[in-house]
Amino acid sequence: MKVLILTKKTLAAAAAAVIAAACLIAVPVLRSADGVPVGTAEKNLPIYNVDTSEKKIALTFDAAWGNEDTQQIIDILKQYNVKATFFIVGEWADKYPDDVRALAQAGHSIQNHSDTHAHMPKLSGDAIAGEITGCNRRLAELCGKEPLYFRAPYGDYDNSTVSGAAALGMETIQWDVDSLDWKGLIPEQIAQRVTEKTKPGSIILCHNGAKHILEALPLFIEPLQAQGYQFVTLEELILPKPYTIDANGTQHADQKS
């Protein structure tokens, strides 16, 4: 019978071997321009921005809570001839159906922000599908067509969220420019963040109901338009298939053979 004698030397060697093995299998965490983790090449990623040489950008709003400023947002966007994309929660649509219709009638894109604003990674596959299809149904009843794009509440997603949306024929959308309007920044701070971080193909995140969003909109729309940027809906920005999404969440058109 062999007896294994553990010494400080053998314990240290064993610990070193374990650490080395862990390093070999560790998965690096990549971060977006705003410093948020976006995953790895092995993870199912949403679209954060689009690879394009054209100065096209998408202004997006998440609508989940109040509606006090919806009409004012519509009026400001009309003033600057801007078409935006609104990610709407199903329960918000139930509370404010006239606002959803008004946004659609003004030519803005109406998209899916889940049915109840749940944390998607906490849900089962069936529950994820229910959140997406429930919101799709509500929005289709109000606007006459189902959304093409899904944004997870809180920007919180996992592989099941992205694959669940894809199984329903929908793209999952994030952003690469966070206005941080939800933090109560003053209008000038919001505008500075947006103008400094925007590049061709950017997707900008704003919120209806944010404290200073009405004052901030002209402060970044005007300079970006002066730089030659065109605000378009996601339907006009997102590339058709076939495409790839790199480890930073940038969507690229596949090279034709």
Side-chain angles (χ1 to χ4, degrees), residues 26-244:
V27 178
V29 176
L30 300 178
R31 297 180 182 275
S32 74
D34 277 341
V36 294
V38 297
T40 70
E42 291 77 27
K43 186 171 183 178
N44 294 333
L45 288 176
I47 297 170
Y48 280 72
N49 57 78
V50 175
D51 177 29
T52 177
S53 60
E54 297 182 282
K55 299 187 81 170
K56 291 184 177 182
I57 54 179
L59 174 59
T60 70
F61 293 83
D62 288 357
W65 314 118
N67 76 325
E68 296 82 3
D69 57 9
T70 304
Q71 186 56 53
Q72 291 169 283
I73 291 175
I74 291 173
D75 294 340
I76 293 171
L77 297 179
K78 181 179 180 181
Q79 177 184 347
Y80 290 98
N81 194 29
V82 168
K83 299 302 181 187
T85 300
F86 287 79
F87 284 93
I88 293 176
V89 171
E91 290 182 345
W92 191 91
D94 273 354
K95 291 180 181 178
Y96 311 113
D98 291 341
D99 292 275
V100 178
R101 294 190 191 98
L103 289 166
Q105 289 168 1
H108 301 297
S109 175
I110 306 300
Q111 302 300 330
N112 186 319
H113 197 34
S114 83
D115 208 28
T116 67
H117 209 260
H119 284 278
M120 306 304 283
K122 296 182 179 180
L123 303 181
S124 67
D126 287 344
I128 290 171
E131 283 283 334
I132 296 173
T133 57
C135 183
N136 278 352
R137 183 173 59 254
R138 296 175 195 250
L139 296 179
E141 289 172 355
L142 292 170
C143 302
K145 61 179 180 180
E146 288 197 355
L148 299 172
Y149 307 112
F150 169 71
R151 174 174 285 166
Y154 313 102
D156 188 14
Y157 67 88
D158 59 5
N159 280 5
S160 295
T161 304
V162 179
S163 61
L168 296 169
M170 302 182 72
E171 311 283 358
T172 302
I173 305 294
Q174 289 282 93
W175 58 84
D176 66 323
V177 180
D178 189 346
S179 69
L180 294 185
D181 56 0
W182 53 275
K183 281 193 169 183
L185 300 184
I186 64 174
E188 291 77 11
Q189 290 173 319
I190 295 171
Q192 182 178 8
R193 283 189 58 83
V194 174
T195 54
E196 288 182 353
K197 293 178 177 295
T198 296
K199 61 185 180 181
S202 280
I203 299 173
I204 303 166
L205 172 65
C206 294
H207 299 78
N208 81 307
K211 187 174 181 181
H212 295 298
I213 190 58
L214 295 177
E215 302 96 321
L217 283 172
L219 296 182
F220 67 76
I221 290 175
E222 288 184 11
L224 288 174
Q225 287 183 330
Q227 294 173 37
Y229 281 101
Q230 179 186 2
F231 289 86
V232 299
T233 63
L234 280 177
E235 289 93 330
E236 299 171 276
L237 182 67
I238 299 300
L239 301 171
K241 295 179 180 179
Y243 65 79
T244 56

